[in-house]
Amino acid sequence: FKENRKDDIWLVDFYAPWCGHCKKLEPVWNEVGIEMKNMGSPVKVGKMDATSFSSIASEFGVRGYPTIKLLKGDLAYNYRGPRTKDDIIEFANRVAGPLIRPLPSQHLFEHVQKRHRVLFVYVGGESPLKEKYIEVASELIVYTYFFSASEDVLPEYVTLPELPAVVVFKDGTYFVYDEYEDGDLSSWINRERFQGYLNVDGFTLYELGDTGKLVAIAVIDDKNSSVEHTRLKSIIQEVARDYRDHFHRDFQFGHMDGNDYINSLLMDDLTVPTIVVLNTSNQQYFLPDRHIENTEDMVQFINNILDGTAEAQGGDGLLQRIKRIIYDAKSTVVSVFKSSPLLGCFLFGLPLGVISIMCYGICTADTDGGVDEHEAGKKENVDREFTDEGSGEEQEEEKNEKYTELSDGDVKQKDIIEKKKD
């Protein structure tokens, strides 16, 4: 595979046998392979055990499991979208095909526009802008399609100030790239590759982090048709549509079904329905300080965020990182015990039991050693006392002998003096 892979286009799932997400992807991956073969696609679908062939996995930059990559010549494109059959097949067909797809007729243009919610088109001949467009397309083809067309192919309602131009068609209208107002072409395409209003899930929110935009979300229950859920969703939709010119450079709008993902991101339990604004670049978030009654309240809330008067919560500071570690650990333990109590007891009880036994053994060994040392010290002190006492008696005897010798000398000297007196 390593030697011959450049002869074909490959869509590869790098997996690990013990990975639960890999096992969940397996039936979907089998469907992808069958459908791609039935379609007559030039893309070959395969999977590789990254633990058995770690050198190849490392060569392609595999860091987690499962990792889906499309290998085309010397290039390897990462797939980061939802792990569904249709999304994976669309990714493979998009990346495996031409980098820039020409649109030679109005009929083909209309057909493509109906199929794609967001459509980027280069209009004009050879130019530095086209070279830049091709360069950006080679980087962002994993996310969206890139087309080229002549001006007469475009719909009649499209008016271009000058040629060449790059145009994005979405939300029922079109927007023309302006280098002076929109900055770098790559950044502009990265911001504009989403519709103005989205049904946001975990994968989409992760991708939105690359745009640098704040994400204003109505957190609702899609199955709940009550007035409050519908009202908040409508408010976000109206702001996205009616205030696009004011907020589209800084905000992405949408709604999210349920609060599970938001709770894990914010480390807090949000009531549903509610509105939250996320800054995915630094994990900050903003909550309204009062109830959002209408569109005007939402616009005021957004303006407060832009001018810095709204209070930001969360963040990626040291305390928040420690809090997140604790929260993630707690969530992991709870989820394991909920899904399989016996497995949880085994995974967490066994290590704790081993550590407890080790600690008990260490403490017990230290206590016995301390007693032995204490007793040995006492014995040594007693022996030393006995030795000292023996030395004292010997010294006393020596003193007595010296005293006796001294007394005998004194007696003899006294006798001599008395004889002299006589």
Side-chain angles (χ1 to χ4, degrees):
F1 171 77
K2 185 177 180 180
E3 296 174 356
N4 302 323
R5 72 169 186 83
K6 294 183 181 181
D7 299 334
D8 299 291
I9 300 174
W10 281 91
L11 182 66
V12 183
D13 167 30
F14 293 91
Y15 72 96
W18 44 262
C19 171
H21 295 292
C22 301
K23 294 177 181 177
K24 188 176 180 181
L25 176 64
E26 186 173 359
V28 176
W29 196 253
N30 292 335
E31 293 179 5
V32 169
I34 293 172
E35 186 157 336
M36 294 286 283
K37 184 177 181 181
N38 294 337
M39 290 167 54
S41 172
V43 179
K44 293 187 175 182
V45 181
K47 61 182 180 179
M48 178 177 290
D49 184 351
T51 61
S52 298
F53 302 98
S54 57
S55 60
I56 298 181
S58 177
E59 178 183 342
F60 290 119
V62 176
R63 298 288 183 269
Y65 310 112
T67 294
I68 298 173
K69 288 179 177 284
L70 188 133
L71 311 178
K72 184 181 179 181
D74 293 325
L75 301 175
Y77 296 92
N78 287 331
Y79 176 71
R80 299 197 302 178
R83 294 182 184 129
T84 64
K85 181 190 71 174
D86 293 338
D87 288 309
I88 294 173
I89 290 176
E90 184 188 4
F91 163 80
N93 291 332
R94 181 172 67 247
V95 179
L99 194 62
I100 309 295
R101 291 170 165 83
L103 299 174
S105 66
Q106 288 185 354
H107 176 72
L108 184 58
F109 183 92
E110 293 172 359
H111 173 73
V112 170
Q113 192 175 14
K114 290 178 181 178
R115 289 190 57 192
H116 302 288
R117 297 174 180 175
V118 180
L119 191 69
F120 288 96
V121 182
Y122 173 82
V123 185
E126 299 296 326
S127 68
L129 181 61
K130 185 176 182 179
E131 295 178 1
K132 182 65 176 178
Y133 183 73
I134 295 173
E135 180 184 339
V136 174
S138 64
E139 175 189 355
L140 301 179
I141 188 66
V142 294
Y143 300 120
T144 188
Y145 288 89
F146 294 88
F147 298 89
S148 64
S150 59
E151 190 174 12
D152 57 350
V153 170
L154 302 180
E156 295 181 357
Y157 63 83
V158 177
T159 302
L160 300 179
E162 61 180 1
L163 292 178
V166 177
V167 188
V168 58
F169 293 86
K170 67 176 184 177
D171 301 330
T173 184
Y174 70 96
F175 306 96
V176 182
Y177 167 68
D178 187 328
E179 182 178 1
Y180 296 102
E181 291 187 5
D182 300 317
D184 181 63
L185 178 63
S186 177
S187 301
W188 179 77
I189 292 178
N190 200 32
R191 291 195 305 268
E192 296 293 339
R193 63 186 175 91
F194 296 99
Q195 292 177 276
Y197 182 87
L198 296 171
N199 183 357
V200 181
D201 56 16
F203 286 104
T204 307
L205 194 61
Y206 179 76
E207 289 187 16
L208 287 172
D210 297 335
T211 67
K213 292 184 178 182
L214 299 176
V215 187
I217 302 176
V219 184
I220 62 173
D221 183 358
D222 279 337
K223 297 178 181 179
N224 192 324
S225 57
S226 65
V227 176
E228 186 65 11
H229 288 256
T230 306
R231 188 181 64 82
L232 289 182
K233 183 178 177 181
S234 299
I235 288 175
I236 296 292
Q237 288 175 326
E238 290 175 11
V239 173
R241 181 186 67 245
D242 300 338
Y243 292 85
R244 174 190 153 77
D245 293 339
H246 295 84
F247 301 136
H248 81 279
R249 284 186 174 86
D250 301 302
F251 279 86
Q252 175 66 51
F253 299 93
H255 78 273
M256 177 174 282
D257 181 21
N259 63 350
D260 291 341
Y261 188 85
I262 292 292
N263 288 344
S264 64
L265 191 66
L266 273 56
M267 297 181 291
D268 196 4
D269 292 329
L270 287 182
T271 56
V272 177
T274 189
I275 288 177
V276 60
V277 175
L278 304 173
N279 186 341
T280 55
S281 63
N282 60 7
Q283 297 183 347
Q284 286 185 342
Y285 63 95
F286 302 85
L287 295 174
D289 56 357
R290 56 194 178 93
H291 191 62
I292 302 294
E293 295 288 348
N294 47 44
T295 305
E296 288 72 21
D297 290 342
M298 187 65 200
V299 171
Q300 182 62 46
F301 176 45
I302 292 175
N303 285 326
N304 290 342
I305 295 174
L306 290 176
D307 61 26
T309 57
E311 181 183 359
Q313 303 181 49
D316 55 0
L318 179 59
L319 293 177
Q320 287 295 322
R321 293 179 185 179
I322 295 173
K323 184 179 177 181
R324 179 162 294 280
I325 292 173
I326 297 173
Y327 180 86
D328 291 341
K330 180 182 176 181
S331 301
T332 302
V333 173
V334 171
S335 62
V336 169
F337 274 98
K338 282 184 177 180
S339 60
S340 179
L342 293 177
L343 179 62
C345 292
F346 177 78
L347 290 177
F348 298 102
L350 182 61
L352 289 175
V354 172
I355 293 173
S356 300
I357 293 173
M358 292 175 61
C359 292
Y360 176 77
I362 292 172
C363 294
T364 305
D366 286 343
T367 303
D368 294 342
V371 171
D372 292 341
E373 291 177 1
H374 181 66
E375 292 180 352
K378 286 177 63 177
K379 184 175 180 181
E380 184 178 352
N381 289 334
V382 171
D383 292 341
R384 187 176 298 168
E385 288 177 1
F386 284 135
T387 304
D388 292 341
E389 287 178 359
S391 302
E393 292 176 355
E394 291 176 356
Q395 291 176 0
E396 187 68 25
E397 290 179 359
E398 290 178 357
K399 286 181 180 180
N400 292 336
E401 290 178 357
K402 288 181 180 179
Y403 178 76
T404 305
E405 292 176 357
L406 181 61
S407 300
D408 293 340
D410 292 339
V411 171
K412 289 180 180 179
Q413 188 175 1
K414 187 177 180 181
D415 291 341
I416 294 171
I417 292 173
E418 288 180 354
K419 286 181 178 179
K420 284 182 179 181
K421 285 182 179 181
D422 294 340

PDB file of all heavy atoms in Angstrom, residues 318-345:
ATOM      1  N   LEU A 318      -6.009  29.564  33.891  1.00  0.00           N
ATOM      2  CA  LEU A 318      -5.509  28.440  34.684  1.00  0.00           C
ATOM      3  C   LEU A 318      -6.614  27.817  35.532  1.00  0.00           C
ATOM      4  O   LEU A 318      -6.772  26.592  35.570  1.00  0.00           O
ATOM      5  CB  LEU A 318      -4.348  28.907  35.569  1.00  0.00           C
ATOM      6  CG  LEU A 318      -3.724  27.833  36.477  1.00  0.00           C
ATOM      7  CD1 LEU A 318      -3.181  26.677  35.648  1.00  0.00           C
ATOM      8  CD2 LEU A 318      -2.636  28.432  37.355  1.00  0.00           C
ATOM      9  N   LEU A 319      -7.388  28.653  36.223  1.00  0.00           N
ATOM     10  CA  LEU A 319      -8.454  28.128  37.067  1.00  0.00           C
ATOM     11  C   LEU A 319      -9.504  27.394  36.252  1.00  0.00           C
ATOM     12  O   LEU A 319     -10.014  26.333  36.662  1.00  0.00           O
ATOM     13  CB  LEU A 319      -9.098  29.268  37.863  1.00  0.00           C
ATOM     14  CG  LEU A 319      -8.213  29.935  38.928  1.00  0.00           C
ATOM     15  CD1 LEU A 319      -8.959  31.089  39.593  1.00  0.00           C
ATOM     16  CD2 LEU A 319      -7.782  28.910  39.974  1.00  0.00           C
ATOM     17  N   GLN A 320      -9.830  27.943  35.082  1.00  0.00           N
ATOM     18  CA  GLN A 320     -10.810  27.284  34.220  1.00  0.00           C
ATOM     19  C   GLN A 320     -10.280  25.957  33.691  1.00  0.00           C
ATOM     20  O   GLN A 320     -11.031  24.989  33.544  1.00  0.00           O
ATOM     21  CB  GLN A 320     -11.171  28.209  33.053  1.00  0.00           C
ATOM     22  CG  GLN A 320     -12.047  29.388  33.448  1.00  0.00           C
ATOM     23  CD  GLN A 320     -13.425  28.947  33.933  1.00  0.00           C
ATOM     24  OE1 GLN A 320     -14.004  28.007  33.407  1.00  0.00           O
ATOM     25  NE2 GLN A 320     -13.939  29.619  34.948  1.00  0.00           N
ATOM     26  N   ARG A 321      -8.980  25.887  33.412  1.00  0.00           N
ATOM     27  CA  ARG A 321      -8.395  24.622  32.942  1.00  0.00           C
ATOM     28  C   ARG A 321      -8.452  23.565  34.037  1.00  0.00           C
ATOM     29  O   ARG A 321      -8.767  22.399  33.775  1.00  0.00           O
ATOM     30  CB  ARG A 321      -6.951  24.854  32.502  1.00  0.00           C
ATOM     31  CG  ARG A 321      -6.826  25.724  31.261  1.00  0.00           C
ATOM     32  CD  ARG A 321      -5.374  25.932  30.892  1.00  0.00           C
ATOM     33  NE  ARG A 321      -5.237  26.859  29.778  1.00  0.00           N
ATOM     34  CZ  ARG A 321      -4.067  27.234  29.265  1.00  0.00           C
ATOM     35  NH1 ARG A 321      -2.933  26.761  29.777  1.00  0.00           N
ATOM     36  NH2 ARG A 321      -4.037  28.075  28.255  1.00  0.00           N
ATOM     37  N   ILE A 322      -8.137  23.975  35.262  1.00  0.00           N
ATOM     38  CA  ILE A 322      -8.220  23.024  36.380  1.00  0.00           C
ATOM     39  C   ILE A 322      -9.664  22.561  36.577  1.00  0.00           C
ATOM     40  O   ILE A 322      -9.940  21.375  36.772  1.00  0.00           O
ATOM     41  CB  ILE A 322      -7.672  23.671  37.670  1.00  0.00           C
ATOM     42  CG1 ILE A 322      -6.183  23.972  37.523  1.00  0.00           C
ATOM     43  CG2 ILE A 322      -7.919  22.769  38.873  1.00  0.00           C
ATOM     44  CD1 ILE A 322      -5.602  24.753  38.689  1.00  0.00           C
ATOM     45  N   LYS A 323     -10.595  23.525  36.493  1.00  0.00           N
ATOM     46  CA  LYS A 323     -12.009  23.191  36.624  1.00  0.00           C
ATOM     47  C   LYS A 323     -12.455  22.231  35.533  1.00  0.00           C
ATOM     48  O   LYS A 323     -13.220  21.297  35.787  1.00  0.00           O
ATOM     49  CB  LYS A 323     -12.838  24.478  36.575  1.00  0.00           C
ATOM     50  CG  LYS A 323     -14.332  24.267  36.787  1.00  0.00           C
ATOM     51  CD  LYS A 323     -15.084  25.591  36.739  1.00  0.00           C
ATOM     52  CE  LYS A 323     -16.593  25.357  36.887  1.00  0.00           C
ATOM     53  NZ  LYS A 323     -17.347  26.652  36.804  1.00  0.00           N
ATOM     54  N   ARG A 324     -11.952  22.445  34.310  1.00  0.00           N
ATOM     55  CA  ARG A 324     -12.335  21.568  33.210  1.00  0.00           C
ATOM     56  C   ARG A 324     -11.773  20.164  33.406  1.00  0.00           C
ATOM     57  O   ARG A 324     -12.441  19.174  33.077  1.00  0.00           O
ATOM     58  CB  ARG A 324     -11.857  22.150  31.877  1.00  0.00           C
ATOM     59  CG  ARG A 324     -12.202  21.285  30.672  1.00  0.00           C
ATOM     60  CD  ARG A 324     -12.118  22.077  29.390  1.00  0.00           C
ATOM     61  NE  ARG A 324     -13.128  23.117  29.348  1.00  0.00           N
ATOM     62  CZ  ARG A 324     -14.398  22.898  29.034  1.00  0.00           C
ATOM     63  NH1 ARG A 324     -14.825  21.686  28.767  1.00  0.00           N
ATOM     64  NH2 ARG A 324     -15.250  23.894  29.011  1.00  0.00           N
ATOM     65  N   ILE A 325     -10.554  20.060  33.902  1.00  0.00           N
ATOM     66  CA  ILE A 325      -9.974  18.731  34.162  1.00  0.00           C
ATOM     67  C   ILE A 325     -10.826  17.973  35.167  1.00  0.00           C
ATOM     68  O   ILE A 325     -11.141  16.789  34.992  1.00  0.00           O
ATOM     69  CB  ILE A 325      -8.518  18.879  34.657  1.00  0.00           C
ATOM     70  CG1 ILE A 325      -7.614  19.401  33.537  1.00  0.00           C
ATOM     71  CG2 ILE A 325      -7.997  17.536  35.172  1.00  0.00           C
ATOM     72  CD1 ILE A 325      -6.210  19.718  33.989  1.00  0.00           C
ATOM     73  N   ILE A 326     -11.205  18.672  36.242  1.00  0.00           N
ATOM     74  CA  ILE A 326     -12.047  18.038  37.264  1.00  0.00           C
ATOM     75  C   ILE A 326     -13.407  17.660  36.682  1.00  0.00           C
ATOM     76  O   ILE A 326     -13.927  16.567  36.922  1.00  0.00           O
ATOM     77  CB  ILE A 326     -12.207  18.981  38.474  1.00  0.00           C
ATOM     78  CG1 ILE A 326     -10.842  19.230  39.138  1.00  0.00           C
ATOM     79  CG2 ILE A 326     -13.189  18.405  39.481  1.00  0.00           C
ATOM     80  CD1 ILE A 326     -10.877  20.283  40.236  1.00  0.00           C
ATOM     81  N   TYR A 327     -13.981  18.576  35.897  1.00  0.00           N
ATOM     82  CA  TYR A 327     -15.302  18.321  35.308  1.00  0.00           C
ATOM     83  C   TYR A 327     -15.250  17.140  34.344  1.00  0.00           C
ATOM     84  O   TYR A 327     -16.117  16.261  34.363  1.00  0.00           O
ATOM     85  CB  TYR A 327     -15.786  19.568  34.575  1.00  0.00           C
ATOM     86  CG  TYR A 327     -17.143  19.413  33.929  1.00  0.00           C
ATOM     87  CD1 TYR A 327     -18.312  19.644  34.647  1.00  0.00           C
ATOM     88  CD2 TYR A 327     -17.257  19.031  32.591  1.00  0.00           C
ATOM     89  CE1 TYR A 327     -19.554  19.494  34.059  1.00  0.00           C
ATOM     90  CE2 TYR A 327     -18.501  18.880  31.993  1.00  0.00           C
ATOM     91  CZ  TYR A 327     -19.636  19.117  32.733  1.00  0.00           C
ATOM     92  OH  TYR A 327     -20.867  18.957  32.136  1.00  0.00           O
ATOM     93  N   ASP A 328     -14.213  17.092  33.481  1.00  0.00           N
ATOM     94  CA  ASP A 328     -14.087  15.998  32.519  1.00  0.00           C
ATOM     95  C   ASP A 328     -13.880  14.661  33.228  1.00  0.00           C
ATOM     96  O   ASP A 328     -14.448  13.639  32.825  1.00  0.00           O
ATOM     97  CB  ASP A 328     -12.923  16.259  31.561  1.00  0.00           C
ATOM     98  CG  ASP A 328     -13.203  17.418  30.614  1.00  0.00           C
ATOM     99  OD1 ASP A 328     -14.393  17.768  30.460  1.00  0.00           O
ATOM    100  OD2 ASP A 328     -12.246  17.975  30.052  1.00  0.00           O
ATOM    101  N   ALA A 329     -13.056  14.677  34.287  1.00  0.00           N
ATOM    102  CA  ALA A 329     -12.829  13.441  35.040  1.00  0.00           C
ATOM    103  C   ALA A 329     -14.122  12.962  35.697  1.00  0.00           C
ATOM    104  O   ALA A 329     -14.465  11.768  35.653  1.00  0.00           O
ATOM    105  CB  ALA A 329     -11.747  13.663  36.095  1.00  0.00           C
ATOM    106  N   LYS A 330     -14.841  13.898  36.279  1.00  0.00           N
ATOM    107  CA  LYS A 330     -16.115  13.546  36.922  1.00  0.00           C
ATOM    108  C   LYS A 330     -17.114  13.014  35.901  1.00  0.00           C
ATOM    109  O   LYS A 330     -17.790  12.004  36.137  1.00  0.00           O
ATOM    110  CB  LYS A 330     -16.683  14.786  37.626  1.00  0.00           C
ATOM    111  CG  LYS A 330     -18.011  14.543  38.320  1.00  0.00           C
ATOM    112  CD  LYS A 330     -18.527  15.828  38.956  1.00  0.00           C
ATOM    113  CE  LYS A 330     -19.913  15.617  39.576  1.00  0.00           C
ATOM    114  NZ  LYS A 330     -20.435  16.879  40.171  1.00  0.00           N
ATOM    115  N   SER A 331     -17.189  13.677  34.751  1.00  0.00           N
ATOM    116  CA  SER A 331     -18.121  13.250  33.705  1.00  0.00           C
ATOM    117  C   SER A 331     -17.766  11.864  33.184  1.00  0.00           C
ATOM    118  O   SER A 331     -18.641  11.034  32.930  1.00  0.00           O
ATOM    119  CB  SER A 331     -18.114  14.260  32.552  1.00  0.00           C
ATOM    120  OG  SER A 331     -18.482  15.542  32.995  1.00  0.00           O
ATOM    121  N   THR A 332     -16.460  11.606  33.048  1.00  0.00           N
ATOM    122  CA  THR A 332     -16.026  10.294  32.563  1.00  0.00           C
ATOM    123  C   THR A 332     -16.398   9.194  33.538  1.00  0.00           C
ATOM    124  O   THR A 332     -16.924   8.141  33.160  1.00  0.00           O
ATOM    125  CB  THR A 332     -14.504  10.296  32.340  1.00  0.00           C
ATOM    126  OG1 THR A 332     -14.171  11.324  31.402  1.00  0.00           O
ATOM    127  CG2 THR A 332     -14.030   8.958  31.807  1.00  0.00           C
ATOM    128  N   VAL A 333     -16.142   9.436  34.819  1.00  0.00           N
ATOM    129  CA  VAL A 333     -16.473   8.432  35.836  1.00  0.00           C
ATOM    130  C   VAL A 333     -17.976   8.174  35.874  1.00  0.00           C
ATOM    131  O   VAL A 333     -18.435   7.026  35.899  1.00  0.00           O
ATOM    132  CB  VAL A 333     -15.967   8.893  37.223  1.00  0.00           C
ATOM    133  CG1 VAL A 333     -16.461   7.937  38.311  1.00  0.00           C
ATOM    134  CG2 VAL A 333     -14.449   8.963  37.240  1.00  0.00           C
ATOM    135  N   VAL A 334     -18.763   9.249  35.845  1.00  0.00           N
ATOM    136  CA  VAL A 334     -20.222   9.102  35.901  1.00  0.00           C
ATOM    137  C   VAL A 334     -20.741   8.346  34.686  1.00  0.00           C
ATOM    138  O   VAL A 334     -21.593   7.459  34.798  1.00  0.00           O
ATOM    139  CB  VAL A 334     -20.892  10.486  36.006  1.00  0.00           C
ATOM    140  CG1 VAL A 334     -22.406  10.364  35.835  1.00  0.00           C
ATOM    141  CG2 VAL A 334     -20.575  11.128  37.346  1.00  0.00           C
ATOM    142  N   SER A 335     -20.215   8.684  33.494  1.00  0.00           N
ATOM    143  CA  SER A 335     -20.681   8.022  32.276  1.00  0.00           C
ATOM    144  C   SER A 335     -20.319   6.546  32.265  1.00  0.00           C
ATOM    145  O   SER A 335     -21.110   5.711  31.822  1.00  0.00           O
ATOM    146  CB  SER A 335     -20.084   8.711  31.044  1.00  0.00           C
ATOM    147  OG  SER A 335     -18.680   8.609  31.043  1.00  0.00           O
ATOM    148  N   VAL A 336     -19.132   6.212  32.783  1.00  0.00           N
ATOM    149  CA  VAL A 336     -18.730   4.804  32.837  1.00  0.00           C
ATOM    150  C   VAL A 336     -19.640   4.021  33.777  1.00  0.00           C
ATOM    151  O   VAL A 336     -20.112   2.918  33.450  1.00  0.00           O
ATOM    152  CB  VAL A 336     -17.252   4.678  33.270  1.00  0.00           C
ATOM    153  CG1 VAL A 336     -16.905   3.226  33.595  1.00  0.00           C
ATOM    154  CG2 VAL A 336     -16.337   5.211  32.187  1.00  0.00           C
ATOM    155  N   PHE A 337     -19.912   4.580  34.953  1.00  0.00           N
ATOM    156  CA  PHE A 337     -20.764   3.875  35.910  1.00  0.00           C
ATOM    157  C   PHE A 337     -22.206   3.776  35.420  1.00  0.00           C
ATOM    158  O   PHE A 337     -22.889   2.791  35.694  1.00  0.00           O
ATOM    159  CB  PHE A 337     -20.719   4.577  37.273  1.00  0.00           C
ATOM    160  CG  PHE A 337     -19.573   4.135  38.135  1.00  0.00           C
ATOM    161  CD1 PHE A 337     -18.407   4.882  38.195  1.00  0.00           C
ATOM    162  CD2 PHE A 337     -19.643   2.962  38.869  1.00  0.00           C
ATOM    163  CE1 PHE A 337     -17.337   4.476  38.985  1.00  0.00           C
ATOM    164  CE2 PHE A 337     -18.583   2.549  39.666  1.00  0.00           C
ATOM    165  CZ  PHE A 337     -17.421   3.308  39.718  1.00  0.00           C
ATOM    166  N   LYS A 338     -22.671   4.801  34.676  1.00  0.00           N
ATOM    167  CA  LYS A 338     -24.028   4.737  34.148  1.00  0.00           C
ATOM    168  C   LYS A 338     -24.162   3.678  33.065  1.00  0.00           C
ATOM    169  O   LYS A 338     -25.136   2.931  33.015  1.00  0.00           O
ATOM    170  CB  LYS A 338     -24.439   6.108  33.583  1.00  0.00           C
ATOM    171  CG  LYS A 338     -24.840   7.114  34.648  1.00  0.00           C
ATOM    172  CD  LYS A 338     -25.335   8.403  34.009  1.00  0.00           C
ATOM    173  CE  LYS A 338     -25.818   9.388  35.066  1.00  0.00           C
ATOM    174  NZ  LYS A 338     -26.305  10.661  34.453  1.00  0.00           N
ATOM    175  N   SER A 339     -23.162   3.602  32.181  1.00  0.00           N
ATOM    176  CA  SER A 339     -23.237   2.657  31.074  1.00  0.00           C
ATOM    177  C   SER A 339     -22.956   1.229  31.526  1.00  0.00           C
ATOM    178  O   SER A 339     -23.593   0.288  31.064  1.00  0.00           O
ATOM    179  CB  SER A 339     -22.247   3.058  29.973  1.00  0.00           C
ATOM    180  OG  SER A 339     -20.918   3.071  30.483  1.00  0.00           O
ATOM    181  N   SER A 340     -22.005   1.054  32.457  1.00  0.00           N
ATOM    182  CA  SER A 340     -21.660  -0.291  32.919  1.00  0.00           C
ATOM    183  C   SER A 340     -21.113  -0.206  34.340  1.00  0.00           C
ATOM    184  O   SER A 340     -19.915   0.016  34.539  1.00  0.00           O
ATOM    185  CB  SER A 340     -20.617  -0.914  31.980  1.00  0.00           C
ATOM    186  OG  SER A 340     -20.260  -2.200  32.439  1.00  0.00           O
ATOM    187  N   PRO A 341     -21.985  -0.402  35.341  1.00  0.00           N
ATOM    188  CA  PRO A 341     -21.531  -0.305  36.732  1.00  0.00           C
ATOM    189  C   PRO A 341     -20.431  -1.298  37.081  1.00  0.00           C
ATOM    190  O   PRO A 341     -19.482  -0.963  37.797  1.00  0.00           O
ATOM    191  CB  PRO A 341     -22.808  -0.579  37.539  1.00  0.00           C
ATOM    192  CG  PRO A 341     -23.925  -0.260  36.601  1.00  0.00           C
ATOM    193  CD  PRO A 341     -23.427  -0.609  35.241  1.00  0.00           C
ATOM    194  N   LEU A 342     -20.543  -2.541  36.577  1.00  0.00           N
ATOM    195  CA  LEU A 342     -19.525  -3.546  36.888  1.00  0.00           C
ATOM    196  C   LEU A 342     -18.171  -3.157  36.309  1.00  0.00           C
ATOM    197  O   LEU A 342     -17.131  -3.294  36.972  1.00  0.00           O
ATOM    198  CB  LEU A 342     -19.960  -4.909  36.347  1.00  0.00           C
ATOM    199  CG  LEU A 342     -21.193  -5.533  37.028  1.00  0.00           C
ATOM    200  CD1 LEU A 342     -21.557  -6.843  36.359  1.00  0.00           C
ATOM    201  CD2 LEU A 342     -20.931  -5.750  38.514  1.00  0.00           C
ATOM    202  N   LEU A 343     -18.196  -2.675  35.061  1.00  0.00           N
ATOM    203  CA  LEU A 343     -16.941  -2.230  34.454  1.00  0.00           C
ATOM    204  C   LEU A 343     -16.354  -1.058  35.215  1.00  0.00           C
ATOM    205  O   LEU A 343     -15.137  -0.977  35.421  1.00  0.00           O
ATOM    206  CB  LEU A 343     -17.186  -1.847  32.990  1.00  0.00           C
ATOM    207  CG  LEU A 343     -15.963  -1.322  32.217  1.00  0.00           C
ATOM    208  CD1 LEU A 343     -14.894  -2.393  32.139  1.00  0.00           C
ATOM    209  CD2 LEU A 343     -16.370  -0.871  30.820  1.00  0.00           C
ATOM    210  N   GLY A 344     -17.215  -0.140  35.668  1.00  0.00           N
ATOM    211  CA  GLY A 344     -16.726   0.994  36.443  1.00  0.00           C
ATOM    212  C   GLY A 344     -16.075   0.563  37.742  1.00  0.00           C
ATOM    213  O   GLY A 344     -15.015   1.084  38.119  1.00  0.00           O
ATOM    214  N   CYS A 345     -16.716  -0.404  38.433  1.00  0.00           N
ATOM    215  CA  CYS A 345     -16.131  -0.910  39.685  1.00  0.00           C
ATOM    216  C   CYS A 345     -14.784  -1.556  39.428  1.00  0.00           C
ATOM    217  O   CYS A 345     -13.840  -1.407  40.213  1.00  0.00           O
ATOM    218  CB  CYS A 345     -17.082  -1.906  40.333  1.00  0.00           C
ATOM    219  SG  CYS A 345     -18.609  -1.156  40.946  1.00  0.00           S
TER     220      CYS A 345
END
